[in-house]
Amino acid sequence: MVSETSLQSCIDECTRCHAICTRTIRYCLEKSGRYADANHLRLLQDCAEICLASANFMLRSSNFHPNVCGVCAEICDRCARSCEKIGGGQDERMKECAGTCGQCSDSCQEMSVAHHLIA
Amino acid sequence: MVSETSLQSCIDECTRCHAICTRTIRYCLEKSGRYADANHLRLLQDCAEICLASANFMLRSSNFHPNVCGVCAEICDRCARSCEKIGGGQDERMKECAGTCGQCSDSCQEMSVAHHLIA
Amino acid sequence: MVSETSLQSCIDECTRCHAICTRTIRYCLEKSGRYADANHLRLLQDCAEICLASANFMLRSSNFHPNVCGVCAEICDRCARSCEKIGGGQDERMKECAGTCGQCSDSCQEMSVAHHLIA
Amino acid sequence: MVSETSLQSCIDECTRCHAICTRTIRYCLEKSGRYADANHLRLLQDCAEICLASANFMLRSSNFHPNVCGVCAEICDRCARSCEKIGGGQDERMKECAGTCGQCSDSCQEMSVAHHLIA
């Protein structure tokens, strides 16, 4: 079962991840070059949007939040890896974004698994 | 594989479903009583939000659109049944909303299955 | 001119206000009766949505953030008053929501005015 | 006063404009070069987001829809001009996006003015 604490912490992770991805889109567009890769930027948009949806489903205590969190976990993980790759382990901004996406992925994964235990 | 035609038609269904659910929330709040049931209204909010996300993922041609469409199909189906139940087969507005949610569910289900064939 | 500090604090206020309004919708639907008033709930939806847009415009450092913040300030103020009225000064949840909306309104008003000084 | 017909037509314009801007972001990222200009892409994101908010405020029949439409009119107009400039009058895709943004701007302007006559 999902505790109130882990629900609130997952909402916080999703909110943070939505915010950093939205900022990182701007950052990557300004850096241009490999940073402005179409697939990387689409992944950042996907990640920002699904994190927002996940947070909203949890804020409404929706029964479907584990389903949305499951998709969110997968997208965040992919986005984390894209940020790592684009940043090449050198760029602090990209490392921070990758870290936030990775934590959000773990937290959402936990929400999604909790669901399967109940259902 | 997903054709451009079925992709566009699924975007249209999701857009229509987002719009009618957003309107139906207002309608149900004004009718009050059983129409304003907390779970019914949350389902309408869930449905409006996930339809919008599905449409956006398809508009971006995101690789993750089948994942979001899969969740969308499930929520739309549940929302269709809630609208039918609340409307009791009498209320034309609720029947229309149920019909739109049902069609959107089918269309999203098709998108989601197409995905599993590819992956 | 707008400092980085006040921009970040306005993003935080908008994020908080979006979250509490989204929760309060659920709370009011469950309380039902005068809490489920159609205009009050629409105002909470308006407030949640415009706060999210304001936060996103600021996260993108968009030139148009003061315009969106100006509309946001007005809606938050109206929502704060609606929460106070519905809660009747007794309900701690509604007082908290009113307080958050009020602070967000002030912060967005400041952003909007800063704009007029520049333009 | 605003008729039901013009309200519905403005909802349709905003929905169309949200969709085309979302697609155009993808198109511009793939074209890269001057198409991927950071300010142009931010404008497309601003335009997609405010059009969605406008449509939602109108779908809810919110009293604040003229305020949001006013901001939307301004952003759509700026986005139309950016698309024209980037496309250089040659690119059919950018011309179509500019045309849709321009029509949406006019429609939202009308909604915004209608408001000032009432208030």
Side-chain angles (χ1 to χ4, degrees):
Chain A
M1 239 201 67
V2 176
S3 69
E4 270 306 304
T5 323
S6 66
L7 189 73
Q8 185 55 53
S9 103
C10 193
I11 293 171
D12 292 342
E13 296 286 0
C14 287
T15 302
R16 246 194 301 277
C17 195
H18 165 80
I20 202 166
C21 287
T22 304
R23 277 190 210 277
T24 301
I25 290 168
R26 177 77 189 150
Y27 175 75
C28 288
L29 288 170
E30 280 174 350
K31 294 281 281 186
S32 76
R34 75 173 193 278
Y35 284 84
D37 175 74
N39 290 328
H40 173 60
L41 280 160
R42 189 175 56 190
L43 210 37
L44 284 164
Q45 288 180 282
D46 287 355
C47 196
E49 182 162 22
I50 200 73
C51 283
L52 177 64
S54 284
N56 284 340
F57 273 71
M58 288 186 279
L59 286 165
R60 282 195 294 273
S61 310
S62 164
N63 298 326
F64 292 100
H65 76 81
N67 310 52
V68 182
C69 285
V71 177
C72 193
E74 210 175 327
I75 296 174
C76 285
D77 175 63
R78 201 73 69 87
C79 193
R81 284 189 277 141
S82 184
C83 287
E84 270 161 32
K85 199 182 137 202
I86 295 286
Q90 309 289 326
D91 183 325
E92 291 303 321
R93 269 295 276 269
M94 299 310 282
K95 274 205 262 187
E96 194 195 343
C97 193
T100 304
C101 291
Q103 274 182 264
C104 189
S105 178
D106 292 345
S107 182
C108 283
Q109 186 58 37
E110 196 189 321
M111 279 295 139
S112 170
V113 169
H115 163 65
H116 295 303
L117 295 178
I118 305 169
Chain B
M1 240 201 65
V2 176
S3 70
E4 269 307 305
T5 323
S6 66
L7 190 73
Q8 184 55 53
S9 105
C10 193
I11 293 170
D12 292 342
E13 296 286 0
C14 287
T15 303
R16 247 195 299 278
C17 196
H18 165 78
I20 201 166
C21 287
T22 304
R23 277 190 209 280
T24 302
I25 290 167
R26 177 77 188 150
Y27 175 74
C28 289
L29 288 171
E30 280 175 349
K31 295 280 280 186
S32 75
R34 75 172 192 278
Y35 284 84
D37 175 75
N39 289 329
H40 173 60
L41 281 160
R42 189 175 56 190
L43 210 37
L44 284 164
Q45 287 179 285
D46 286 355
C47 195
E49 182 162 22
I50 200 73
C51 282
L52 177 64
S54 284
N56 284 340
F57 272 73
M58 288 185 279
L59 285 165
R60 281 196 295 272
S61 310
S62 164
N63 298 327
F64 291 99
H65 75 81
N67 310 52
V68 183
C69 285
V71 176
C72 193
E74 209 175 327
I75 296 175
C76 285
D77 176 63
R78 200 72 68 88
C79 192
R81 285 190 275 142
S82 183
C83 287
E84 269 162 30
K85 198 182 137 202
I86 296 286
Q90 308 288 325
D91 184 324
E92 290 305 321
R93 268 298 274 271
M94 298 310 283
K95 273 205 262 187
E96 195 195 342
C97 192
T100 304
C101 292
Q103 273 181 263
C104 189
S105 178
D106 292 345
S107 184
C108 285
Q109 186 58 37
E110 196 188 322
M111 279 295 141
S112 170
V113 168
H115 164 65
H116 295 303
L117 295 178
I118 306 168
Chain C
M1 238 201 66
V2 177
S3 69
E4 269 308 304
T5 323
S6 66
L7 190 72
Q8 185 54 53
S9 104
C10 193
I11 292 170
D12 292 342
E13 296 286 1
C14 287
T15 302
R16 247 195 300 277
C17 196
H18 166 78
I20 202 166
C21 287
T22 304
R23 278 191 210 277
T24 302
I25 288 168
R26 177 76 189 151
Y27 176 75
C28 288
L29 288 170
E30 281 175 349
K31 294 280 281 187
S32 77
R34 75 173 194 277
Y35 283 83
D37 175 74
N39 289 329
H40 173 60
L41 281 160
R42 189 175 57 192
L43 210 37
L44 284 164
Q45 288 179 282
D46 286 356
C47 195
E49 183 162 22
I50 201 74
C51 283
L52 176 64
S54 284
N56 284 340
F57 273 71
M58 288 185 280
L59 286 165
R60 281 196 295 273
S61 309
S62 164
N63 299 325
F64 291 99
H65 76 79
N67 309 51
V68 182
C69 286
V71 176
C72 193
E74 209 175 327
I75 295 175
C76 285
D77 175 63
R78 201 73 69 89
C79 192
R81 285 190 275 140
S82 184
C83 288
E84 270 162 31
K85 199 181 137 204
I86 295 287
Q90 308 289 325
D91 183 325
E92 291 303 322
R93 269 296 275 271
M94 300 310 284
K95 272 204 262 188
E96 194 195 343
C97 193
T100 305
C101 292
Q103 273 180 263
C104 189
S105 179
D106 291 347
S107 183
C108 284
Q109 185 59 37
E110 197 189 322
M111 279 295 141
S112 170
V113 168
H115 164 64
H116 295 303
L117 294 179
I118 305 168
Chain D
M1 239 199 66
V2 176
S3 70
E4 269 308 304
T5 323
S6 64
L7 190 73
Q8 184 55 54
S9 104
C10 193
I11 292 169
D12 292 343
E13 296 287 359
C14 287
T15 302
R16 246 195 300 277
C17 196
H18 166 78
I20 202 166
C21 287
T22 304
R23 277 191 210 278
T24 302
I25 289 168
R26 177 76 188 150
Y27 175 75
C28 289
L29 288 171
E30 280 175 350
K31 295 281 280 187
S32 76
R34 76 173 193 276
Y35 283 84
D37 174 75
N39 289 329
H40 173 59
L41 281 161
R42 189 175 56 190
L43 210 38
L44 284 164
Q45 287 179 283
D46 287 355
C47 196
E49 181 162 23
I50 200 73
C51 282
L52 177 64
S54 284
N56 284 340
F57 272 72
M58 287 186 280
L59 286 165
R60 282 196 294 271
S61 309
S62 163
N63 298 326
F64 291 100
H65 75 80
N67 309 52
V68 182
C69 286
V71 175
C72 192
E74 210 174 328
I75 295 174
C76 286
D77 176 63
R78 200 73 68 88
C79 191
R81 284 189 275 141
S82 183
C83 287
E84 270 163 30
K85 199 181 137 204
I86 296 286
Q90 308 289 326
D91 184 325
E92 289 304 321
R93 269 297 275 272
M94 299 309 283
K95 273 205 261 187
E96 194 195 341
C97 193
T100 304
C101 292
Q103 273 181 264
C104 189
S105 178
D106 292 345
S107 184
C108 284
Q109 185 59 38
E110 198 188 319
M111 279 295 140
S112 169
V113 169
H115 164 65
H116 295 303
L117 294 178
I118 305 168

